[in-house]
Amino acid sequence: MSERGWTLGTEQLTDLARGAALLGTGGGGDPYIGRLMVEAAIAEYGPITVISPDELADDEFVISTAMMGAPSVMVEKIPKGDEAVRALRALERHLGRSADATIPMECGGINSMIPLVVAAVTGLPVVDADGMGRAFPELQMETFGVYGIPASPMVVAGDHDEWVLIDCGADNSRVEWLARGACIRMGGAALIAEYPMTGADVKRTAIPGTLSLGVELGAAIRQARAGHRDPVAALRERLGGSIYRQLRVLHEGKVTDVERRVVDGFTRGTVRITGFNKPGDAARAGDLVISFQNENVIALREGQLLAVVPDLICVLEADSAEPITSETLRYGQRVRVIGISTPDLMRTPEALAVFGPRCFGLDRDFTPLEQLHPTAD
Amino acid sequence: MSERGWTLGTEQLTDLARGAALLGTGGGGDPYIGRLMVEAAIAEYGPITVISPDELADDEFVISTAMMGAPSVMVEKIPKGDEAVRALRALERHLGRSADATIPMECGGINSMIPLVVAAVTGLPVVDADGMGRAFPELQMETFGVYGIPASPMVVAGDHDEWVLIDCGADNSRVEWLARGACIRMGGAALIAEYPMTGADVKRTAIPGTLSLGVELGAAIRQARAGHRDPVAALRERLGGSIYRQLRVLHEGKVTDVERRVVDGFTRGTVRITGFNKPGDAARAGDLVISFQNENVIALREGQLLAVVPDLICVLEADSAEPITSETLRYGQRVRVIGISTPDLMRTPEALAVFGPRCFGLDRDFTPLEQLHPTAD
């Protein structure tokens, strides 16, 4: 293989962490610990090569690596460090085939970082793409699976040197069910290697460019702050040219209530954001309530739908636009809530059957953000 | 390999089921469903070859097969039928080595039968020995593990064609923890293949002769009934020449209370047996209380210890001596409760550290049955 891709160094990691927290749409785990892990891995093993899906040969072999668990646990239960690589190696041994690259399962939260740790330690390139285009709480909620790739065989590795290999044939929801059970018994967070596939599979099923997009969104926020411009305007500008396209400011206000619990291995709850009630902006006067299962699932203001999965609902610190994850929400925070439209590949009937509103127990169909808010703010 | 062993046919299965229910000491699951499975397998594939541990070559490869789960679930959730063989095959593929024989994990309850199903379907011989010498609720509670054999890699297979492979190195308690989690998510009962080992390992660590002992104990009860002799006396006679040696009648009475629940994948509870209060037998006048975790763990009469794990505590129908399993106990049953001493291999300090009273949360050391009751009844 000739030289390909570009080099990711520690200088881009802070931007990536911020951008990934945004794309994590409340979940995915705070990227902070992941960033420290990548920095340590780069310091020990050298920088990371990032390749675009187009640079993969069709017959190359790619394994997705990630952390799974409730974000509330993931931010407190620091990985031992070798679990993701052990998961990858165990899956390689089982399949009798070595990976040519790793790819993020989700581009949001800590899972923007875990594949980078794997890439640094193993020397494998990491593919600039992912299977969620954001963060989702469950393993079957991946475009890889939506478009026909089995999640299993897959491996869950814990911090006691133990690992579990799961094979459910083509039943990706059963993989989620069994892997979640293993994850819970490993302490609520574990590292995984899943969705083994070819380069051709990646090109057909992955959301492209989401790793570099994460870096760029994080940089856009940073640069806007430095230039005393509105970071949300900078985000809108950057997204305009991307496959995400639309951004809407949904609400501005103060966090007045947070209800949050860890149930069945997920962080579940709601946050209430009471509008600033600005003169002349009656629409933002009410209370916005966001429900989350790890990630923000739906935003309702006085019963009116403002945004729903799979579109992104992001809570940002009001002035700095720093993304606030679901486990760090707390009373008194001044926030802006934005919605971002997901790529077309995530809005097909097949995709909505796997991660549309009904998959989160909601009795409603998906309505695109730009249909709910026809004109930009 | 020259011809070896003896042939087990369907005619011995009813005796084995009864003997295994006795050795199941309340747990292990009712062998009834297992017996039907073996009968069907023999009808389709032919009879089963049983070999003694001594007939194994030291370098032959043996894999233990079994069902795991709460007995309350095991008697209601009928296996699909191919799970145990799928578990065995998955473990063989993972290890890159085919089994030369299978061996029971436990000789009590349904797990006397599952390896016979595997043997009939695969044509492998089944070893006349096991790793518990009775039934125990947890996978690390096996003499295989007590004497140095790792339980993992092992496989748990469910009835949706799914399977999970678990590797915890030498930590057999962690295998139990993760396998139990998988078993619960598979519906509370699943089939397993575990403790891969050599013929030399079997000879060193297994309790020998427990499959044929089960057949003989079942036959002894049947023959005594037919000859209008006391079945318990017949059991005592048969055990006298075995590695179990001692039998004591602990109590006779009526079941006056049963408290039973399925918790964390186990059937837990207590049974109260109010003594018949026979004239001249003041010692049996009180209430006997047996606590069980799948299996009967401890028998106390008015606070006085009568028997405790790993010795066997068996509840028998008073006249017929039919064993009553923990999930079929009910108010009004007339019963005799007997204690049976376990083989020496199960009473070493290493063994008691794994399945002695403290491993069941009891704050007491093991006291042998024959020390609690120096003279036979």
Side-chain angles (χ1 to χ4, degrees):
Chain A
M1 184 65 57
S2 61
E3 274 189 40
R4 55 181 178 176
W6 51 279
T7 298
L8 179 80
T10 49
E11 65 283 4
Q12 286 132 310
L13 292 178
T14 306
D15 285 342
L16 176 59
R18 188 180 303 112
L22 179 84
L23 292 170
T25 184
D30 189 318
Y32 176 71
I33 290 165
R35 179 169 65 80
L36 298 183
M37 290 173 70
V38 181
E39 284 178 358
I42 289 178
E44 186 169 352
Y45 299 95
I48 294 155
T49 300
V50 181
I51 60 174
S52 78
D54 293 340
E55 290 176 289
L56 278 171
D58 279 355
D59 63 351
E60 282 192 286
F61 189 52
V62 182
I63 293 177
S64 182
T65 49
M67 193 173 189
M68 76 179 288
S72 309
V73 177
M74 287 156 74
V75 297
E76 295 195 351
K77 183 176 182 294
I78 317 288
K80 184 181 170 197
D82 67 345
E83 295 96 322
V85 173
R86 281 198 298 110
L88 177 85
R89 294 306 188 205
L91 187 54
E92 286 179 329
R93 280 195 305 276
H94 176 71
L95 295 168
R97 190 170 178 191
S98 295
D100 300 304
T102 188
I103 185 171
M105 160 183 97
E106 62 186 353
C107 61
I110 195 171
N111 279 329
S112 61
M113 298 290 174
I114 297 297
L116 303 182
V117 176
V118 172
V121 172
T122 61
L124 294 174
V126 61
V127 183
D128 184 6
D130 79 304
M132 293 183 172
R134 43 168 289 169
F136 279 127
E138 301 181 11
L139 301 183
Q140 81 279 11
M141 295 176 167
E142 305 193 33
T143 53
F144 307 147
V146 167
Y147 298 108
I149 313 297
S152 71
M154 62 87 71
V155 171
V156 188
D159 58 2
H160 288 64
D161 290 337
E162 81 281 39
W163 56 272
V164 169
L165 185 140
I166 296 169
D167 190 327
C168 299
D171 188 344
N172 295 343
S173 293
R174 196 146 187 93
V175 171
E176 157 64 26
W177 174 245
L178 293 174
R180 190 70 49 184
C183 173
I184 290 169
R185 293 221 155 193
M186 287 175 181
L191 280 292
I192 61 175
E194 55 159 23
Y195 285 97
M197 60 187 144
T198 66
D201 292 331
V202 170
K203 288 178 233 184
R204 183 172 61 81
T205 68
I207 307 296
T210 46
L211 174 57
S212 46
L213 179 67
V215 175
E216 290 170 29
L217 293 176
I221 293 173
R222 172 175 51 79
Q223 288 159 357
R225 286 180 197 163
H228 302 286
R229 289 176 287 116
D230 177 13
V232 169
L235 287 175
R236 186 199 310 276
E237 191 175 316
R238 175 60 193 85
L239 287 167
S242 80
I243 52 176
Y244 290 77
R245 286 196 299 266
Q246 306 286 339
L247 182 153
R248 296 288 185 277
V249 177
L250 304 176
H251 195 71
E252 297 176 63
K254 189 181 90 161
V255 174
T256 50
D257 196 23
V258 184
E259 187 266 312
R260 182 173 45 217
R261 58 206 185 282
V262 176
V263 188
D264 295 336
F266 298 106
T267 301
R268 291 178 186 273
T270 57
V271 56
R272 176 176 296 273
I273 299 163
T274 299
F276 284 145
N277 202 5
K278 288 183 183 171
D281 190 2
R284 287 178 199 156
D287 279 14
L288 182 78
V289 175
I290 299 173
S291 302
F292 50 86
Q293 175 188 351
N294 293 3
E295 284 72 35
N296 298 324
V297 170
I298 186 169
L300 295 164
R301 185 167 52 216
E302 312 293 332
Q304 180 204 352
L305 177 66
L306 294 196
V308 66
V309 284
D311 281 345
L312 284 67
I313 300 164
C314 309
V315 181
L316 310 178
E317 199 279 321
D319 297 323
S320 69
E322 190 68 18
I324 301 174
T325 55
S326 53
E327 79 280 0
T328 53
L329 288 166
R330 63 177 189 277
Y331 177 86
Q333 288 168 327
R334 267 68 176 166
V335 302
R336 269 194 284 187
V337 180
I338 63 171
I340 297 174
S341 60
T342 39
D344 294 340
L345 198 64
M346 298 176 62
R347 291 173 158 196
T348 63
E350 306 96 290
L352 295 175
V354 174
F355 45 64
R358 295 187 188 282
C359 306
F360 293 82
L362 298 174
D363 186 22
R364 63 168 78 229
D365 291 318
F366 172 65
T367 311
L369 180 76
E370 63 275 21
Q371 187 174 320
L372 292 167
H373 314 273
T375 53
D377 334 82
Chain B
M1 183 65 58
S2 61
E3 276 189 41
R4 55 180 177 176
W6 50 279
T7 300
L8 179 80
T10 49
E11 66 282 3
Q12 286 132 311
L13 291 178
T14 306
D15 285 343
L16 175 58
R18 188 182 300 112
L22 180 85
L23 292 170
T25 186
D30 190 316
Y32 176 71
I33 290 165
R35 178 167 67 77
L36 299 183
M37 291 172 69
V38 181
E39 284 178 0
I42 288 179
E44 186 169 353
Y45 300 95
I48 294 155
T49 299
V50 181
I51 60 174
S52 77
D54 292 340
E55 290 176 291
L56 278 171
D58 280 355
D59 62 351
E60 282 191 284
F61 189 52
V62 183
I63 293 176
S64 183
T65 49
M67 192 173 189
M68 76 179 288
S72 310
V73 177
M74 287 156 73
V75 298
E76 295 193 353
K77 183 175 181 297
I78 318 288
K80 183 181 171 197
D82 67 346
E83 296 95 321
V85 173
R86 280 198 299 109
L88 177 85
R89 295 305 189 207
L91 187 54
E92 285 179 331
R93 278 195 306 276
H94 176 71
L95 294 168
R97 190 171 178 190
S98 295
D100 300 303
T102 188
I103 186 172
M105 160 184 97
E106 63 185 352
C107 61
I110 196 170
N111 279 330
S112 61
M113 298 290 174
I114 297 298
L116 302 183
V117 176
V118 172
V121 173
T122 61
L124 294 175
V126 62
V127 183
D128 184 6
D130 79 303
M132 292 183 173
R134 44 167 289 169
F136 279 127
E138 301 181 12
L139 300 184
Q140 81 280 11
M141 296 176 167
E142 305 194 33
T143 53
F144 307 147
V146 167
Y147 297 108
I149 314 296
S152 71
M154 62 87 71
V155 170
V156 188
D159 58 3
H160 288 64
D161 291 338
E162 80 281 39
W163 56 272
V164 168
L165 186 140
I166 296 169
D167 190 326
C168 299
D171 188 343
N172 294 343
S173 294
R174 196 145 188 93
V175 171
E176 157 65 26
W177 174 246
L178 293 175
R180 190 70 51 184
C183 173
I184 291 169
R185 294 222 153 192
M186 288 175 182
L191 280 293
I192 61 174
E194 54 158 24
Y195 285 99
M197 60 187 144
T198 66
D201 292 332
V202 171
K203 288 179 235 185
R204 184 172 60 82
T205 67
I207 307 297
T210 46
L211 174 56
S212 47
L213 180 66
V215 175
E216 290 170 28
L217 293 176
I221 294 173
R222 171 175 50 80
Q223 289 159 358
R225 285 179 198 164
H228 302 287
R229 289 178 286 114
D230 177 14
V232 170
L235 286 175
R236 187 199 309 279
E237 193 175 314
R238 175 60 193 83
L239 287 167
S242 81
I243 52 175
Y244 289 77
R245 288 196 299 268
Q246 307 286 338
L247 182 153
R248 297 288 186 277
V249 177
L250 304 176
H251 195 71
E252 296 176 64
K254 190 180 90 161
V255 174
T256 50
D257 196 26
V258 184
E259 187 266 311
R260 183 172 44 217
R261 59 206 185 281
V262 176
V263 189
D264 295 337
F266 298 105
T267 300
R268 292 178 185 271
T270 57
V271 55
R272 175 174 296 273
I273 298 163
T274 300
F276 284 145
N277 201 6
K278 287 181 183 172
D281 190 2
R284 288 179 198 154
D287 279 15
L288 181 79
V289 175
I290 299 173
S291 302
F292 51 85
Q293 175 188 349
N294 293 4
E295 284 72 35
N296 299 323
V297 170
I298 187 169
L300 296 163
R301 185 166 53 215
E302 313 293 333
Q304 180 203 351
L305 178 66
L306 295 196
V308 66
V309 285
D311 281 344
L312 285 68
I313 300 164
C314 309
V315 181
L316 311 178
E317 198 279 322
D319 296 324
S320 69
E322 191 67 20
I324 300 174
T325 55
S326 54
E327 78 280 0
T328 54
L329 287 166
R330 62 178 189 275
Y331 178 86
Q333 287 168 327
R334 267 66 176 170
V335 302
R336 271 194 283 186
V337 180
I338 64 171
I340 297 174
S341 60
T342 39
D344 294 341
L345 198 63
M346 299 176 62
R347 291 172 157 197
T348 63
E350 305 95 292
L352 295 175
V354 174
F355 45 65
R358 294 187 188 281
C359 304
F360 293 82
L362 299 173
D363 187 23
R364 63 169 79 228
D365 291 319
F366 172 64
T367 310
L369 180 75
E370 63 275 20
Q371 187 175 320
L372 293 167
H373 313 275
T375 54
D377 333 82

